[in-house]
Amino acid sequence: VLAQGELSLIRSIRARASQFAPPDLRLGIGDDCALIQVRPGEEIAVTTDLSIAGRHFQLDWHPPEAIGHRTLARGLSDLAAMGARPVAAFLSLGLPQERTRKTKAQKSWIDRYLDGFFALAHATGTPLAGGDLAQSPIAAADIVLLGAIPRGRALLRSGARPGHLLYVTGALGGAAVGLERLTQSASRAAVKKSPPRLPGKLDPLLAAHLIPQPRLAVGQALSRRALASAAIDISDGLSTDLTHICEESRVAAEIECGTLPIHSGSTLEHALHGGEDYELLFTAPPSVRIPRAIAGVPITRIGRIVRPRAGRATVTLLTPQGPQPLQPRGWQHFA
Ligand SMILES: [Mg+2]
């Protein structure tokens, strides 16, 4: 049993979830199962993501609103990478009892977490359709996301072919520098009595880490307009996620170093290997004209897909000093 009272907590979550009930969701929280009816000719995309305190977020120095936002953003970014539109989210939380405790003056940690979660849910039209709550010695959040996509139109990692061009949305490396800044300021600060606030106006590097924006509109446009041959979201870093595309497509890739859209205030190293940018990396045949921006998000061509060759690295970085093999050393590198 949780401090706030499991039933009252579920009631408040249900009340917040029911403020948004799109037609796909025939039955949300309150019965044994949710009921979902997608449009004729659509198939369902499913993704799941587990976040654990101390590993994926820090209770001491991540604002709870940002943790809630990021729980949902991680799942939505996977839907974006397939070109799916969100249909329903299922959230399971394990929480130490004190995280549900509120005072007259202060919201509980869980209420602030849900503020961040529901703000992104409403902004992206994602209903919370169910989940679970349990007391746990370690805070953990598990999200399941369901998306819908016209049958056969999902963007897969396996569709890249030699000669296809390589594109990325937005800017890279911002989230990794934002995380470094947050870590440094946290280690300087004294132990805090309560979790930090999410400032009203965020530095763009901190925003890239704390409130990343999943590229749902771009992914759906790439699928609907049949622009991309393969796609992935950059959760683990460009070097690692491009290697995933190459392995699934059985191809190799070249990145032109000078073309990379490096986030202002970030570095080439962070743009190549820093994780959690949640931008989309995709390929397209050279005959397909890719717009400079989709849904207001800039698109940059950063290289091309080539035939794999024995003894040569899967990903090669083309620099003014000549080609260099690029090892996949994303997220873990910065862990
Ligand atoms: Mg992904």
Side-chain angles (χ1 to χ4, degrees), residues 150-179:
R151 194 172 298 141
R153 298 299 287 273
L155 308 172
L156 307 182
R157 296 178 179 183
S158 54
R161 298 291 174 264
H164 289 190
L165 303 176
L166 195 56
Y167 300 86
V168 73
T169 62
L172 301 179
V177 175
L179 174 59

Side-chain angles (χ1 to χ4, degrees), residues 47 49 74-75 77-79 81 157 232-236 241 244 278:
T47 180
D49 190 271
R74 290 160 68 99
S77 182
D78 282 329
L79 291 187
R157 296 178 179 183
I232 191 170
D233 64 316
I234 304 183
S235 50
D236 295 336
D241 290 317
H244 290 320
Y278 299 109

Side-chain angles (χ1 to χ4, degrees), residues 275-305:
E276 304 198 305
D277 284 316
Y278 299 109
E279 296 295 347
L280 297 184
L281 172 68
F282 65 94
T283 62
S287 57
V288 173
R289 203 189 74 80
I290 300 295
R292 280 195 198 156
I294 297 176
V297 181
I299 312 283
T300 311
R301 185 168 72 77
I302 61 163
R304 63 193 188 112
I305 299 296

Side-chain angles (χ1 to χ4, degrees), residues 246-259:
C246 288
E247 284 173 353
E248 293 302 318
S249 297
R250 299 168 193 270
V251 294
E254 292 174 349
I255 297 174
E256 289 163 39
C257 187
T259 64

Side-chain angles (χ1 to χ4, degrees), residues 18-135:
S18 66
Q19 287 167 13
F20 177 70
D24 293 324
L25 183 63
R26 290 189 43 225
L27 190 62
I29 296 173
D31 215 306
D32 294 305
C33 292
L35 292 176
I36 289 157
Q37 169 82 62
V38 294
R39 299 167 196 166
E42 283 187 331
E43 54 193 350
I44 297 280
V46 186
T47 180
T48 153
D49 190 271
L50 176 62
S51 307
I52 296 174
R55 177 74 181 152
H56 304 96
F57 59 88
Q58 302 293 335
L59 291 169
D60 293 341
W61 43 264
H62 272 123
E65 295 84 355
I67 302 173
H69 175 104
R70 283 164 48 86
T71 300
L72 183 56
R74 290 160 68 99
L76 287 175
S77 182
D78 282 329
L79 291 187
M82 302 291 282
R85 69 186 168 85
V87 164
F90 298 84
L91 175 67
S92 293
L93 292 167
L95 291 173
Q97 202 163 50
E98 69 269 17
R99 299 288 156 188
T100 65
R101 206 165 280 148
K102 58 180 155 195
T103 65
K104 270 206 177 114
Q106 277 192 323
K107 282 183 172 184
S108 65
W109 185 93
I110 179 63
D111 283 334
R112 292 181 54 193
Y113 172 95
L114 291 168
D115 287 346
F117 183 94
F118 279 114
L120 181 61
H122 289 160
T124 56
T126 310
L128 179 66
D132 202 4
L133 286 169
Q135 196 183 319

